[in-house]
Amino acid sequence: MKVMILAAGFGERMRPLTEHTPKPLLQVGGQPLIAYHIEALAALGLDDLVINVAHLGQQIIDWCGDGRRWGVRIRYSREPEPLETAGGIQRALPLLGEAPFLVVNGDVWTEYPLQRLLTHTHLPADAAHLVLVDNPPQHPLGDFQLTAAGRVVARPPEAAGLTYAGIGVFSPGFFVGMAPGKRPLRPLLDAAIAGKRVSGEHFVGAWADVGTPERLQTLDARLSAASGGTG
């Protein structure tokens, strides 16, 4: 299974940190966020990676290189400007092939066992499988609800659901028919959920959306303490 790591965003809420450093290269626990993903993928033998880059993207290319030091191959999908999630994935489709592929947001940290997603290599041609987590304080109502049968459904207004973790498996056909350019993922997900084409699972372990300097600092302190470092 090929993997796409989303790393092209501006990181607006992380300013001023992201004025000179792209968010996936911000350090927690002594190494860049993106390194945790690459190490976890390499450990599973998922060695064909695509990273999209835009804002300060050359820094990511220079730091990750061709992936050889992790025993993986990294290719890059360059964007003239950040195309948001769906636009970025669509632009990278020629590098991702014709089989379902794993997508990971470059600005999350998690202990989710990615090997669970290897069972979703035969998704229908226009389907997706999402990892959902408990709602963080900054997103108290969440994004979607999950049925007992593992189907992702819409969250009714004012009803709590679960939060999309930024980790999932998508079939290339999920993006067929989408106009190229800057496109968010949520409208595509909403349409696919209405069409009963999205499955999901609930992960209750460690996960963090590193969206602000405060959250970055909190995660850094936690990981540094766990490793016996000083941060």
Side-chain angles (χ1 to χ4, degrees):
M1 182 182 284
K2 294 183 179 180
V3 183
M4 182 168 187
I5 300 177
L6 300 171
F10 280 120
E12 297 279 1
R13 293 174 299 164
M14 291 295 291
R15 287 183 171 178
L17 299 179
T18 50
E19 290 178 359
H20 304 290
T21 304
K23 187 156 59 165
L25 291 187
L26 295 176
Q27 297 224 350
V28 290
Q31 66 177 352
L33 279 166
I34 200 169
Y36 290 95
H37 291 323
I38 297 174
E39 289 174 357
L41 294 165
L44 291 176
L46 294 172
D47 58 3
D48 196 344
L49 315 185
V50 175
I51 301 175
N52 67 331
V53 294
H55 173 63
L56 302 175
Q58 191 60 46
Q59 290 188 34
I60 295 174
I61 294 170
D62 291 343
W63 193 84
C64 296
D66 61 7
R68 192 174 312 172
R69 61 175 144 152
W70 295 283
V72 303
R73 176 177 71 156
I74 297 177
R75 292 173 293 166
Y76 296 92
S77 177
R78 298 174 184 261
E79 300 174 10
E81 63 171 343
L83 297 177
E84 297 196 38
T85 300
I89 294 173
Q90 186 202 52
R91 184 180 178 90
L93 285 178
L95 300 175
L96 293 167
E98 299 179 357
F101 51 86
L102 195 158
V103 172
V104 182
N105 285 4
D107 59 357
V108 300
W109 177 91
T110 184
E111 292 179 348
Y112 173 79
L114 292 168
Q115 62 267 27
R116 288 185 191 172
L117 295 179
L118 299 181
T119 63
H120 297 282
T121 56
H122 300 293
L123 281 177
D126 56 355
H129 178 85
L130 307 182
V131 176
L132 305 176
V133 294
D134 293 332
N135 301 326
Q138 70 272 13
H139 196 49
L141 292 180
D143 298 308
F144 312 111
Q145 291 186 338
L146 186 66
T147 70
R151 181 67 56 191
V152 177
V153 297
R155 177 182 62 79
E158 305 306 320
L162 296 169
T163 292
Y164 173 46
I167 304 168
V169 177
F170 293 84
S171 290
F174 192 87
F175 303 92
V176 168
M178 189 188 95
K182 188 174 183 179
R183 298 285 185 273
L185 182 62
R186 182 60 186 263
L188 289 183
L189 285 174
D190 288 341
I193 288 168
K196 299 182 179 180
R197 294 185 281 114
V198 182
S199 60
E201 62 185 88
H202 180 196
F203 174 60
V204 296
W207 174 87
D209 169 17
V210 189
T212 66
E214 293 75 21
R215 283 184 241 155
L216 181 77
Q217 185 176 31
T218 297
L219 178 61
D220 180 50
R222 172 186 168 188
L223 295 181
S224 295
S227 65
T230 57

